Amino acid sequence: MNSAAPFTHEALFYSDEDAFLSGTARFVAGGVDRGEPVLVAVREARIGPLRERLGGQADQVHFIDMTEAGRNPGRIIPGVLMAFSASTRQRFRMVGEPMWPGRTELEYPACVQHEALVNTAFEGRQGVILCPYDASALPRHVLEDARRTHPVVIDGEKRVTSDRYTDPASLADLYNVPLPPPPDTAEEHAFSVATLARTRKLVATYAHWLRREQVEDLVLAVNELATNSILHASGHGVLRLWREGDTAVCEVSDSGKGFPPSFTGLSGFGIVMVNLLCDLVRTHTSHSGTTVRVYLGR
């Protein structure tokens, strides 16, 4: 690969552990040999075997457990990939595994939107991101979506341009799907600028079973969403609160068009912050308004 080539986003389909190790180790070693900063963000169980396969080169690689750092798919671009690439002015190389067996149906649309947004977030930058997909365990539709979100696909020994690649905005919009309805037990509170302080207290009181720092994060996230509703929608909105096991769920709805994430300008950093604070963020925008649902649990 030409070290001066522009940004490339590649999917690696692997059939077993050896294929995973061979594909990722070859990719990582190529970056180390070129003196490129290298990040590997994969499931924790994969890190040890990959270190062993790389040998002494592993000491020059930064490893992250993606199941922790990327538990919320919306956190991966700003909190993992961009955080690493921003630390260097050199051409970078990263392995990022946003989709693995065990991801829930609730998380999946956010995973696809993440993969689509990678192509716009890193456009014009010097680097390459390789995303491993377990072809033996993931459903067929997941692999088909990977072909739509990655301009290049590596399947076995073949590295080809994907003929399924889709415009990122169109694909992200395709997964702008309605959220499951809140349970009948959900609390519902209208809010406006006059009741914003009360709204923060409602969240803090409701999520009392969380750790104090988690309660603070949840209050900050909901405050950001409610403030956005007040400033950019109709000046008011609705907050819904409920509990799923040990997870607090907060939903903010308004009549606005939402605020898509931005990684190159000032707009949209509010929703980026919300993603950094919460375990999962799901958004749905329609002709009637926008709903943002956040999850934070013990």
PDB file of all heavy atoms in Angstrom, residues 18 53 58 79-80 83 91 138 183-184 195 198 236 282 293 295:
ATOM      1  N   ASP A  18      -7.690 -18.191  13.477  1.00  0.00           N
ATOM      2  CA  ASP A  18      -6.433 -18.092  12.740  1.00  0.00           C
ATOM      3  C   ASP A  18      -6.547 -17.083  11.603  1.00  0.00           C
ATOM      4  O   ASP A  18      -5.605 -16.321  11.348  1.00  0.00           O
ATOM      5  CB  ASP A  18      -6.034 -19.461  12.191  1.00  0.00           C
ATOM      6  CG  ASP A  18      -4.653 -19.428  11.544  1.00  0.00           C
ATOM      7  OD1 ASP A  18      -3.668 -19.216  12.286  1.00  0.00           O
ATOM      8  OD2 ASP A  18      -4.564 -19.574  10.310  1.00  0.00           O
ATOM      9  N   ARG A  53       0.915 -13.269  18.406  1.00  0.00           N
ATOM     10  CA  ARG A  53       1.217 -13.421  16.980  1.00  0.00           C
ATOM     11  C   ARG A  53       2.178 -12.328  16.496  1.00  0.00           C
ATOM     12  O   ARG A  53       3.034 -12.589  15.654  1.00  0.00           O
ATOM     13  CB  ARG A  53      -0.086 -13.381  16.173  1.00  0.00           C
ATOM     14  CG  ARG A  53       0.077 -13.525  14.664  1.00  0.00           C
ATOM     15  CD  ARG A  53       0.541 -14.906  14.255  1.00  0.00           C
ATOM     16  NE  ARG A  53      -0.407 -15.961  14.570  1.00  0.00           N
ATOM     17  CZ  ARG A  53      -1.308 -16.438  13.696  1.00  0.00           C
ATOM     18  NH1 ARG A  53      -1.361 -15.967  12.464  1.00  0.00           N
ATOM     19  NH2 ARG A  53      -2.127 -17.402  14.068  1.00  0.00           N
ATOM     20  N   ALA A  58       4.370  -6.058  18.989  1.00  0.00           N
ATOM     21  CA  ALA A  58       3.208  -5.684  19.799  1.00  0.00           C
ATOM     22  C   ALA A  58       3.521  -4.528  20.739  1.00  0.00           C
ATOM     23  O   ALA A  58       2.622  -3.766  21.119  1.00  0.00           O
ATOM     24  CB  ALA A  58       2.720  -6.890  20.602  1.00  0.00           C
ATOM     25  N   GLY A  79     -14.416   8.930  20.709  1.00  0.00           N
ATOM     26  CA  GLY A  79     -13.705   8.514  21.915  1.00  0.00           C
ATOM     27  C   GLY A  79     -12.574   7.543  21.689  1.00  0.00           C
ATOM     28  O   GLY A  79     -11.707   7.388  22.559  1.00  0.00           O
ATOM     29  N   VAL A  80     -12.554   6.865  20.538  1.00  0.00           N
ATOM     30  CA  VAL A  80     -11.520   5.863  20.266  1.00  0.00           C
ATOM     31  C   VAL A  80     -10.717   6.243  19.026  1.00  0.00           C
ATOM     32  O   VAL A  80      -9.525   6.539  19.100  1.00  0.00           O
ATOM     33  CB  VAL A  80     -12.140   4.448  20.083  1.00  0.00           C
ATOM     34  CG1 VAL A  80     -11.052   3.427  19.759  1.00  0.00           C
ATOM     35  CG2 VAL A  80     -12.895   4.032  21.344  1.00  0.00           C
ATOM     36  N   ALA A  83      -9.743  10.115  18.803  1.00  0.00           N
ATOM     37  CA  ALA A  83      -8.858  10.422  19.925  1.00  0.00           C
ATOM     38  C   ALA A  83      -7.445   9.938  19.617  1.00  0.00           C
ATOM     39  O   ALA A  83      -6.455  10.619  19.928  1.00  0.00           O
ATOM     40  CB  ALA A  83      -9.379   9.781  21.202  1.00  0.00           C
ATOM     41  N   ARG A  91       0.609   9.544   9.208  1.00  0.00           N
ATOM     42  CA  ARG A  91      -0.394   8.635   8.680  1.00  0.00           C
ATOM     43  C   ARG A  91      -0.620   7.538   9.728  1.00  0.00           C
ATOM     44  O   ARG A  91       0.335   6.964  10.243  1.00  0.00           O
ATOM     45  CB  ARG A  91       0.088   8.020   7.373  1.00  0.00           C
ATOM     46  CG  ARG A  91      -0.870   6.996   6.773  1.00  0.00           C
ATOM     47  CD  ARG A  91      -0.367   6.491   5.429  1.00  0.00           C
ATOM     48  NE  ARG A  91      -1.163   5.370   4.955  1.00  0.00           N
ATOM     49  CZ  ARG A  91      -2.358   5.492   4.365  1.00  0.00           C
ATOM     50  NH1 ARG A  91      -2.852   6.705   4.162  1.00  0.00           N
ATOM     51  NH2 ARG A  91      -3.031   4.433   3.970  1.00  0.00           N
ATOM     52  N   LEU A 138     -21.623 -14.023  12.558  1.00  0.00           N
ATOM     53  CA  LEU A 138     -22.531 -12.897  12.364  1.00  0.00           C
ATOM     54  C   LEU A 138     -23.574 -13.221  11.300  1.00  0.00           C
ATOM     55  O   LEU A 138     -23.276 -13.911  10.319  1.00  0.00           O
ATOM     56  CB  LEU A 138     -21.742 -11.650  11.955  1.00  0.00           C
ATOM     57  CG  LEU A 138     -20.833 -11.057  13.034  1.00  0.00           C
ATOM     58  CD1 LEU A 138     -19.925  -9.996  12.437  1.00  0.00           C
ATOM     59  CD2 LEU A 138     -21.660 -10.482  14.183  1.00  0.00           C
ATOM     60  N   PRO A 183     -42.161   1.614  28.065  1.00  0.00           N
ATOM     61  CA  PRO A 183     -43.112   0.782  28.823  1.00  0.00           C
ATOM     62  C   PRO A 183     -44.213   1.647  29.433  1.00  0.00           C
ATOM     63  O   PRO A 183     -44.059   2.871  29.599  1.00  0.00           O
ATOM     64  CB  PRO A 183     -42.226   0.158  29.902  1.00  0.00           C
ATOM     65  CG  PRO A 183     -41.095   1.116  30.073  1.00  0.00           C
ATOM     66  CD  PRO A 183     -40.838   1.690  28.710  1.00  0.00           C
ATOM     67  N   ASP A 184     -45.311   1.011  29.790  1.00  0.00           N
ATOM     68  CA  ASP A 184     -46.430   1.743  30.399  1.00  0.00           C
ATOM     69  C   ASP A 184     -46.037   2.357  31.739  1.00  0.00           C
ATOM     70  O   ASP A 184     -46.687   3.312  32.204  1.00  0.00           O
ATOM     71  CB  ASP A 184     -47.618   0.797  30.599  1.00  0.00           C
ATOM     72  CG  ASP A 184     -48.201   0.311  29.272  1.00  0.00           C
ATOM     73  OD1 ASP A 184     -47.990   1.006  28.252  1.00  0.00           O
ATOM     74  OD2 ASP A 184     -48.839  -0.758  29.259  1.00  0.00           O
ATOM     75  N   THR A 195     -38.450  25.154  33.432  1.00  0.00           N
ATOM     76  CA  THR A 195     -38.418  23.959  34.293  1.00  0.00           C
ATOM     77  C   THR A 195     -37.154  23.121  34.084  1.00  0.00           C
ATOM     78  O   THR A 195     -37.103  21.960  34.518  1.00  0.00           O
ATOM     79  CB  THR A 195     -39.651  23.075  34.030  1.00  0.00           C
ATOM     80  OG1 THR A 195     -39.654  22.654  32.657  1.00  0.00           O
ATOM     81  CG2 THR A 195     -40.935  23.833  34.332  1.00  0.00           C
ATOM     82  N   ARG A 198     -35.592  21.855  37.296  1.00  0.00           N
ATOM     83  CA  ARG A 198     -36.420  20.792  37.868  1.00  0.00           C
ATOM     84  C   ARG A 198     -36.214  19.485  37.101  1.00  0.00           C
ATOM     85  O   ARG A 198     -36.178  18.399  37.701  1.00  0.00           O
ATOM     86  CB  ARG A 198     -37.894  21.194  37.825  1.00  0.00           C
ATOM     87  CG  ARG A 198     -38.859  20.107  38.294  1.00  0.00           C
ATOM     88  CD  ARG A 198     -40.301  20.614  38.311  1.00  0.00           C
ATOM     89  NE  ARG A 198     -41.221  19.540  38.636  1.00  0.00           N
ATOM     90  CZ  ARG A 198     -41.797  18.743  37.715  1.00  0.00           C
ATOM     91  NH1 ARG A 198     -41.521  18.933  36.429  1.00  0.00           N
ATOM     92  NH2 ARG A 198     -42.632  17.783  38.079  1.00  0.00           N
ATOM     93  N   HIS A 236     -39.671  23.580  23.943  1.00  0.00           N
ATOM     94  CA  HIS A 236     -40.099  22.664  24.999  1.00  0.00           C
ATOM     95  C   HIS A 236     -40.009  21.241  24.475  1.00  0.00           C
ATOM     96  O   HIS A 236     -39.743  20.997  23.291  1.00  0.00           O
ATOM     97  CB  HIS A 236     -41.530  22.974  25.467  1.00  0.00           C
ATOM     98  CG  HIS A 236     -42.534  22.968  24.363  1.00  0.00           C
ATOM     99  ND1 HIS A 236     -43.113  21.813  23.900  1.00  0.00           N
ATOM    100  CD2 HIS A 236     -43.042  23.978  23.598  1.00  0.00           C
ATOM    101  CE1 HIS A 236     -43.958  22.097  22.925  1.00  0.00           C
ATOM    102  NE2 HIS A 236     -43.932  23.415  22.710  1.00  0.00           N
ATOM    103  N   ARG A 282     -29.658   6.100  21.203  1.00  0.00           N
ATOM    104  CA  ARG A 282     -30.413   5.832  19.982  1.00  0.00           C
ATOM    105  C   ARG A 282     -31.228   7.061  19.640  1.00  0.00           C
ATOM    106  O   ARG A 282     -31.837   7.685  20.508  1.00  0.00           O
ATOM    107  CB  ARG A 282     -31.334   4.619  20.178  1.00  0.00           C
ATOM    108  CG  ARG A 282     -30.613   3.282  20.235  1.00  0.00           C
ATOM    109  CD  ARG A 282     -29.999   2.901  18.893  1.00  0.00           C
ATOM    110  NE  ARG A 282     -30.945   3.101  17.805  1.00  0.00           N
ATOM    111  CZ  ARG A 282     -31.917   2.249  17.487  1.00  0.00           C
ATOM    112  NH1 ARG A 282     -32.070   1.128  18.171  1.00  0.00           N
ATOM    113  NH2 ARG A 282     -32.738   2.511  16.479  1.00  0.00           N
ATOM    114  N   ARG A 293     -32.884   8.645  22.908  1.00  0.00           N
ATOM    115  CA  ARG A 293     -33.003   7.766  24.067  1.00  0.00           C
ATOM    116  C   ARG A 293     -31.615   7.371  24.529  1.00  0.00           C
ATOM    117  O   ARG A 293     -30.802   6.911  23.730  1.00  0.00           O
ATOM    118  CB  ARG A 293     -33.836   6.528  23.696  1.00  0.00           C
ATOM    119  CG  ARG A 293     -34.141   5.616  24.870  1.00  0.00           C
ATOM    120  CD  ARG A 293     -35.035   4.463  24.411  1.00  0.00           C
ATOM    121  NE  ARG A 293     -36.345   4.931  23.979  1.00  0.00           N
ATOM    122  CZ  ARG A 293     -37.301   4.136  23.488  1.00  0.00           C
ATOM    123  NH1 ARG A 293     -37.060   2.828  23.373  1.00  0.00           N
ATOM    124  NH2 ARG A 293     -38.460   4.625  23.118  1.00  0.00           N
ATOM    125  N   TYR A 295     -29.119   5.323  27.514  1.00  0.00           N
ATOM    126  CA  TYR A 295     -29.082   4.219  28.478  1.00  0.00           C
ATOM    127  C   TYR A 295     -27.795   4.339  29.306  1.00  0.00           C
ATOM    128  O   TYR A 295     -26.725   4.556  28.747  1.00  0.00           O
ATOM    129  CB  TYR A 295     -29.051   2.877  27.754  1.00  0.00           C
ATOM    130  CG  TYR A 295     -30.272   2.562  26.913  1.00  0.00           C
ATOM    131  CD1 TYR A 295     -30.453   3.192  25.685  1.00  0.00           C
ATOM    132  CD2 TYR A 295     -31.215   1.643  27.329  1.00  0.00           C
ATOM    133  CE1 TYR A 295     -31.563   2.902  24.891  1.00  0.00           C
ATOM    134  CE2 TYR A 295     -32.324   1.334  26.547  1.00  0.00           C
ATOM    135  CZ  TYR A 295     -32.483   1.982  25.329  1.00  0.00           C
ATOM    136  OH  TYR A 295     -33.577   1.680  24.548  1.00  0.00           O
TER     137      TYR A 295
END
